[in-house]
Amino acid sequence: MMKRISLLEMAHDIVGSYLKPGDIAVDATLGNGHDTLFLAQCVAAEGHVYGFDIQRQALIKTYQRLLEHDLQRRVTLCLASHADMLNHLPQQYYGRLGAAMFNLGYLPGADKTVITQIDSTLLALNTACGLLAPRAVVTVLAYPGHAGGDLEAEQLLAWSQRLDSACFRSEVILSSHDKPTAPRLFVIRKQADLL
Ligand code: SAH
């Protein structure tokens, strides 16, 4: 039987193909810290990851996960909204981001009413896109299956279609169970400079 790869694994495959040791990356939604750990491994000891979440519990979970792998020194954890990314990222890294990952919705095992909100999500996405290096990527895993997530996914699609196609290519990858409520992965690739 063919192995089904999850959208999370697919996001990691895509981001992993962009990042190299020494890069700077952002995890815009720490959650349980899986993406942060992955990013920290990709950027290696010379690189750095900035991670954001508005719930202290997510920072604690992520820190514990990093400690288990002794990778905590590669990561700066910010108890802040991803919409405030600019205030936390050193200016020397503007225009240098190799990748930014978003995993929307609520933190599994925590308060399900604390969910990402489309206005701050789009603000953060615009900021992240503006911070990207010439050949870089943003991934957004969206979950239309929960209240609020449906509208968020719809607006994300509209946003991705409005991006300047001279700079960005966007695609949406649907999960293998093609229900309207199934998660979907948005991939926004910044094109390398043409000159
Ligand atoms: N739905 C995913 C996990 C998403 S975790 C799954 O099931 O695997 C999403 C995280 O985003 C949560 O930890 C939540 O606290 C965080 N979050 C919500 N709003 C945010 C914001 N404005 N800035 C940064 N993180 C935010």
Side-chain angles (χ1 to χ4, degrees):
M1 192 180 136
M2 215 165 75
K3 181 175 174 286
R4 281 193 177 175
I5 84 159
S6 70
L7 291 183
L8 193 71
E9 289 173 288
M10 206 173 278
H12 285 187
D13 280 354
I14 293 168
V15 168
S17 73
Y18 276 81
L19 287 178
K20 54 188 183 316
D23 276 352
I24 306 298
V26 163
D27 184 352
T29 50
L30 292 173
N32 286 318
H34 296 285
D35 292 339
T36 309
L37 174 63
F38 168 75
L39 292 170
Q41 287 162 337
C42 290
V43 301
E46 317 90 279
H48 206 75
V49 179
Y50 290 83
F52 297 85
D53 208 291
I54 51 170
Q55 297 193 78
R56 192 173 294 278
Q57 185 181 337
L59 272 77
I60 294 169
K61 286 253 183 195
T62 303
Y63 193 69
Q64 283 166 345
R65 197 177 294 284
L66 292 168
L67 270 183
E68 281 165 22
H69 293 81
D70 194 24
L71 291 180
Q72 66 281 4
R73 280 181 297 278
R74 296 183 193 176
V75 179
T76 300
L77 297 175
C78 308
L79 182 60
S81 169
H82 39 224
D84 286 334
M85 198 181 292
L86 269 189
N87 294 329
H88 295 268
L89 203 74
Q91 271 193 23
Q92 75 211 64
Y93 299 142
Y94 290 8
R96 278 205 49 203
L97 276 197
M101 299 187 78
F102 290 71
N103 193 345
L104 304 180
Y106 53 82
L107 175 62
D111 184 350
K112 291 196 176 162
T113 63
V114 182
I115 54 170
T116 48
Q117 305 287 333
I118 188 65
D119 288 351
S120 43
T121 302
L122 292 186
L123 194 62
L125 277 168
N126 282 323
T127 306
C129 283
L131 290 169
L132 292 181
R135 184 189 167 276
V137 70
V138 175
T139 59
V140 190
L141 197 44
Y143 301 82
H146 68 87
D150 41 359
L151 198 64
E152 194 174 38
E154 214 175 276
Q155 298 203 22
L156 264 172
L157 180 63
W159 169 82
S160 67
Q161 289 168 343
R162 285 195 306 269
L163 282 168
D164 179 0
S165 60
C167 294
F168 299 100
R169 294 271 181 281
S170 66
E171 80 179 297
V172 189
I173 303 173
L174 303 175
S175 24
S176 40
H177 8 262
D178 60 347
K179 286 186 283 179
T181 53
R184 58 207 53 192
L185 176 66
F186 292 82
V187 183
I188 297 106
R189 300 168 196 267
K190 184 164 173 194
Q191 306 301 298
D193 287 339
L194 295 176
L195 290 177

